Amino acid sequence: MTSPRSDRPSPPDGGGPGQPAYADRSYRSTAGMISGAGLLVVACWLGGDAIAHGKGHTPWFAIAGLLLALPIVIALTLRPAVFANSERIRVRNPFRTITVPWTGVDGVRSSYTTELLAGGKKYQLWAIPVSLRARKRAARQDARAKAAGDDAFTPGRSGGRPPYGRRPAPLPGADQTIRAWSDQALAELRELAEAREGTGDPAAPESAPVVRWCWEVLAPALAGAVVLIVLSAIS
């Protein structure tokens, strides 16, 4: 099960001109990073053993295989992240990075995957995976929390009262609903988008998404694939 992580500053980002700016909120998958690190260790161990003790073309096949496999593993597990502040959102997917000012964002939605809509296109947020199991668990926890709160202040129920017989007041405007991590992350991104709504022209050139291919991952992977093809042809 994926167990994502959110590193968020406190207090929250400023919502408009004249507001203080804070560091980006970052969203990454802890499970993805752990699995990626494990795969890298195994690949380096096996590849290193083949390079050190292999005969004939085996060391060269191992080098080419590592050159192909390591960038792909890094791209799929360690690289995905979403960074957001009061001005823009930056989506770092395995092979592309998409940067969009909030004025150019059409929406952020979640169904079976999380998606960013901008410039008439759809971009998947790899760093915020959707877990239906996590959603069901969060819904059960929310239902139990609400039931426990109702029992605690209903005469004749066994829940009892909090210390000093007073119910703690919720924070003003605070949403007490328990959500799955991906849904909570999407709610925060929507809040940032709504805070910038109407502050710019979505059709302006500066509001268009900027997409950059990750050649630092693609180039070595392509080189490794070419070397493997050449070695296979001559062996």
Side-chain angles (χ1 to χ4, degrees):
M1 182 181 67
T2 303
S3 175
R5 181 185 67 182
S6 171
D7 300 319
R8 303 191 301 275
S10 180
D13 299 66
Q19 297 292 328
Y22 298 94
D24 286 1
R25 304 183 185 195
S26 64
Y27 303 88
R28 307 185 72 167
S29 171
T30 300
M33 292 189 292
I34 293 174
S35 61
L39 288 173
L40 290 177
V41 170
V42 172
C44 291
W45 174 48
L46 296 176
D49 183 71
I51 293 170
H53 303 101
K55 305 297 182 181
H57 290 114
T58 300
W60 295 105
F61 272 105
I63 292 173
L66 289 175
L67 195 61
L68 172 62
L70 294 184
I72 293 178
V73 170
I74 292 172
L76 294 176
T77 59
L78 302 181
R79 175 177 159 79
V82 173
F83 303 96
N85 59 24
S86 61
E87 298 297 328
R88 54 102 177 99
I89 180 172
R90 179 162 59 96
V91 180
R92 200 169 68 185
N93 281 342
F95 305 112
R96 296 191 302 175
T97 298
I98 303 99
T99 304
V100 192
W102 287 116
T103 54
V105 173
D106 299 324
V108 183
R109 68 186 184 187
S110 172
S111 54
Y112 293 104
T113 60
T114 54
E115 298 168 345
L116 172 71
L117 307 177
K121 296 183 179 180
K122 178 176 64 177
Y123 304 97
Q124 185 174 349
L125 307 183
W126 280 67
I128 309 179
V130 172
S131 171
L132 298 181
R133 181 181 298 178
R135 280 182 175 172
K136 292 179 181 178
R137 184 172 61 250
R140 290 195 299 267
Q141 292 175 349
D142 185 60
R144 285 197 297 266
K146 290 179 178 178
D150 291 341
D151 288 347
F153 304 100
T154 302
R157 297 292 181 89
S158 59
R161 289 183 177 272
Y164 310 112
R166 291 189 299 174
R167 184 173 188 171
L171 295 175
D175 186 356
Q176 305 298 322
T177 303
I178 299 176
R179 298 187 178 95
W181 180 85
S182 60
D183 294 331
Q184 180 62 35
L186 264 290
E188 294 174 3
L189 294 177
R190 289 192 186 103
E191 288 178 3
L192 290 173
E194 291 170 359
R196 298 291 296 175
E197 189 175 1
T199 60
D201 183 6
E206 59 269 18
S207 297
V210 176
V211 180
R212 184 184 71 85
W213 287 95
C214 182
W215 291 109
E216 59 270 26
V217 169
L218 294 172
L222 292 174
V226 170
V227 174
L228 280 176
I229 293 172
V230 172
L231 289 173
S232 299
I234 65 177
S235 61

